[in-house]
Amino acid sequence: MGIPLRVLFIEDSELDAELTAAELARGDFELQMERVETEDDMSAALADADWDLVICDYRLPRFSAEDALSTLKNSNKDLPFIITSGAVTAEDVVSLLKQGAHDFMDKNALARLVPAVERELRDAKIREQRRVAEQRVRVLSRAIEQSPVSVVITDPKGHIEYVNPRFEETTGYTSSEAMGRSLGFTLLDEESASAMDELWSTVSSGVEWRGEFCNVKRDGQLIWEAVNVSPLTDPQGTLTHYVVIKEDITVRRSYEEQLLRQAHYDHLTGLANRVLLMDRLTVALENAARTGQQTALLGIDLDHFKNVNDSLGHSVGDNLLKEAAQRLSSCIRGGDTLARMGGDEFVVVLPQITNLRDVHKIAENIVRQFERPFTIIGKDYFVTSSVGIALYPEDGGNPHLILRNADLAMYKAKDLGRNQYHFFTEDINQRLMQRLELETRIRHVITKDELLLHYQPIYNLSDNSVAGFEALVRWRQADGSLRMPGDFIPVAEDIGIIQEIDSWVLQAACKETSSLLNQQPGELRLAINISPRQLEAPGYADFVRRQLSLNHLKPSQLELEITERVLVNDAEATRTNIEALCNLGVRLSIDDFGTGYSSLGYLQKYPFHTLKIDRSFVSNISENPNARRLIETIITMAHGLDMEVVAEGIESEQERRFLMEHGCDQAQGFLLSRPLPLHDVISNM
Ligand code: C2E
Ligand code: MG
Ligand code: MG
């Protein structure tokens, strides 16, 4: 099979066309042909089908080669056009070639035809490819001209060779003004200029670069642009240009700046927020380090602000905070930073202190600002402030430490009665470290099996017989010494592991004492202290029942000592547990009576069996007639409510006699017995 070739003959002689076709067929072409003789037929043929080649007779009775050429041109088709003829003058040939004919062929010497056709087909193909490429370039350049982003093309040195209309619109510079200048000629400042250096060093190594620049327009307005610079190379890989695409992001940037503002300022008071504060503090400390000066940080907390918020509502609270912010602002100098850290916490940074007296003055002024009441919607509210102060460098070398230590000093000021300021001192820190260490160790007391129990007997005052024992927990330390509960129980309560400890105590005490309690004639009882938290635990009563039955103890042999705080809390879960424990038959005792706020009403509400008079009353018996009267009243009252009375902490014979004479039922105290290990208690009996 030959190469397919579609030929349109413009020829009046059928024979001549056949001869030419035969010549072509020799050249390995697979011919498809049509012959026309008039302009109309030629136009129709061109319109109806695709052709590879036109072969046109020079002399036609009703048409001419010139007209055929212009017909082809009008059809917008770029086909090889070969003219064949008998005799023809050189002038005619030249004129026809000028008009667009591609070759001329003598009908009597067609040997050249095949190579000529082959060449013309090749050339036509190249022309076609070039047309496509040119078309593409036209589209691309239109795209750049009409692009919604600025396009700049520079030479390898960064000098502008082209800018598109969008560039002219956004910058206000015309193409001729921009031409030849360096790319960064519209940059705002040095910061951008140094980014520019980075840009060139990146792109000159052949890598694309992106970034954002602030530019100045011709009219002086600022504009932010996202810039993308790509190196352009020729087919040999040599850098010829840079293509720079710039997008106007001014709107986005100003939105970001607004967000940045929101991220740096407190919306309620307009003061700096924590983020900005940390920033300023960092800078202040760096400067102080350089100049060798001090920086002070004041942590300010409003006293009892929570009460205002909770009882008067958040809008009153918000107004108060706004006013507080204003008062605080009046205390600081230019260059100082006042920030709201959240809630009712404020911070002041005083950079570059020359005299510590200034810090005292400002702190004093702050505290004084809060001695005036806050008037909100016609009403006066008193909210004072506590201020803690930490200094750089002596109280900490970094912002976090300074903040923490100012905080600790502030808590110290609160401890000392609020409405005052306090400087950070090393012993505040020391105490904190000890406390943290204690917290860590206390979390592991159970797993490390470091707890043990001592028991203090409770005596019947009437006959000195033993009524029972109170289990008191001890914590064995690494050096063998024992740590007393007053030292670690409150911490265990704070960090929420008291329930584990109390549960361990109940289990251990029941187990250790069960044989003693069951063997003794008469009924001995085991008293155990439980924290208020324990009574809030759901299912606590069940836990107690299990422990009792596991150790074959009667519920009436167990007495749970509860402090007065439980009653004041009055939580639902607590009441449920107390009821369940009573139904079970366990005895309940109110411990340290007289130290809390419980009233008779509370005592009536709950079925207590025993009331323990706090040691502080007992130890005052000899000196204080009031204490004596109070004890008498408590005993009378408790008996009136059908409760037994135990006096705690009897250390002298005089105390014992007074209590016995006034009808106190039982007693505990060093005079009678100290808390001891169980085997010592047993051998003393
Ligand atoms: P409490 O329940 O009032 O226990 C009586 C405390 O007074 C005991 O101190 C005891 O050693 C002490 N004491 C007894 N007689 C005298 C005396 O004549 N003079 C003096 N000065 N003190 C006397 P302890 O063992 O240090 O316990 C302190 C507190 O710790 C207890 O007060 C109790 O509230 C609490 N506690 C002890 N063990 C536990 C426990 O297992 N769980 C809970 N939640 N609290 C416990
Ligand atoms: Mg007790
Ligand atoms: Mg007590």
Side-chain angles (χ1 to χ4, degrees), residues 145 162 233 245 416 489 491-492 599 679:
E145 291 282 316
Y162 168 84
T233 52
I245 292 172
L416 293 173
I489 291 288
V491 180
S599 67
H679 56 88

Side-chain angles (χ1 to χ4, degrees), residues 145-272:
E145 291 282 316
Q146 294 171 23
S147 161
V149 299
S150 297
V151 179
V152 179
I153 297 174
T154 76
D155 69 10
K157 289 198 169 121
H159 295 127
I160 294 175
E161 287 189 350
Y162 168 84
V163 299
N164 74 343
R166 185 50 184 247
F167 175 94
E168 299 180 299
E169 276 164 46
T170 37
T171 62
Y173 289 100
T174 64
S175 164
S176 52
E177 285 171 322
M179 218 53 70
R181 300 182 74 166
S182 74
L183 178 63
F185 82 96
T186 53
L187 287 181
L188 170 66
D189 52 19
E190 281 183 12
E191 192 182 327
S192 309
S194 77
M196 205 69 191
D197 291 343
E198 182 204 311
L199 182 163
W200 288 126
S201 72
T202 307
V203 289
S204 62
S205 65
V207 182
E208 182 183 301
W209 189 92
R210 289 163 196 279
E212 290 179 4
F213 288 112
C214 188
N215 288 299
V216 191
K217 295 196 201 185
R218 198 173 200 281
D219 64 7
Q221 270 190 56
L222 296 185
I223 171 182
W224 273 98
E225 287 180 316
V227 178
N228 184 313
V229 184
S230 325
L232 210 64
T233 52
D234 64 14
Q236 285 71 47
T238 314
L239 177 75
T240 59
H241 295 92
Y242 289 110
V243 178
V244 184
I245 292 172
K246 310 204 291 173
E247 196 175 353
D248 183 352
I249 52 160
T250 311
V251 174
R252 194 198 84 201
R253 283 296 287 231
S254 69
Y255 182 61
E256 275 172 6
E257 267 152 29
Q258 191 187 338
L259 286 180
L260 208 65
R261 203 186 147 68
Q262 281 168 0
H264 280 151
Y265 290 88
D266 172 46
H267 64 97
L268 179 68
T269 60
L271 299 180

Side-chain angles (χ1 to χ4, degrees), residues 506 510 539-549 558 560 581 584 586:
L506 179 72
C510 289
Y540 178 62
D542 286 337
F543 171 70
V544 172
R545 190 184 43 231
R546 260 199 317 281
Q547 293 311 314
L548 290 173
S549 71
L558 181 68
L560 298 177
L581 288 166
L584 183 62
V586 168

Side-chain angles (χ1 to χ4, degrees), residues 530 532-544 560 562 571-584 586 588 606:
I530 58 172
R533 293 284 284 277
Q534 190 67 298
L535 279 177
E536 288 166 15
Y540 178 62
D542 286 337
F543 171 70
V544 172
L560 298 177
I562 302 163
E572 175 69 30
T574 305
R575 245 177 302 149
T576 314
N577 269 325
I578 290 182
E579 255 164 50
L581 288 166
C582 284
N583 292 341
L584 183 62
V586 168
L588 295 178
Y606 294 106

Side-chain angles (χ1 to χ4, degrees), residues 470 472 529 561 591 612 648:
E470 177 176 4
L472 294 161
N529 297 284
E561 298 193 359
D591 203 353
K612 299 186 81 168
E648 294 185 316

Side-chain angles (χ1 to χ4, degrees), residues 547-564:
Q547 293 311 314
L548 290 173
S549 71
L550 221 57
N551 295 289
H552 311 291
L553 294 173
K554 283 182 271 173
S556 60
Q557 287 179 286
L558 181 68
E559 184 162 85
L560 298 177
E561 298 193 359
I562 302 163
T563 62
E564 281 180 295

Side-chain angles (χ1 to χ4, degrees), residues 453 456 470-474 484-489 493 498 501-502 505-506 528-532 561 563 565 591-592 612 614-615 648-652 655 668-675:
L453 294 174
Q456 186 175 38
E470 177 176 4
L472 294 161
V473 72
R474 267 86 183 108
M484 297 311 239
D487 220 18
F488 64 88
I489 291 288
E493 285 182 336
I498 186 64
I501 294 182
D502 280 355
V505 169
L506 179 72
I528 283 183
N529 297 284
I530 58 172
S531 138
E561 298 193 359
T563 62
R565 275 179 296 157
D591 203 353
D592 304 340
K612 299 186 81 168
D614 192 67
R615 184 161 58 86
E648 294 185 316
I650 298 184
E651 292 184 353
S652 71
E655 288 161 3
Q668 255 176 299
F670 292 173
L671 176 73
L672 309 165
S673 167
R674 287 185 172 262

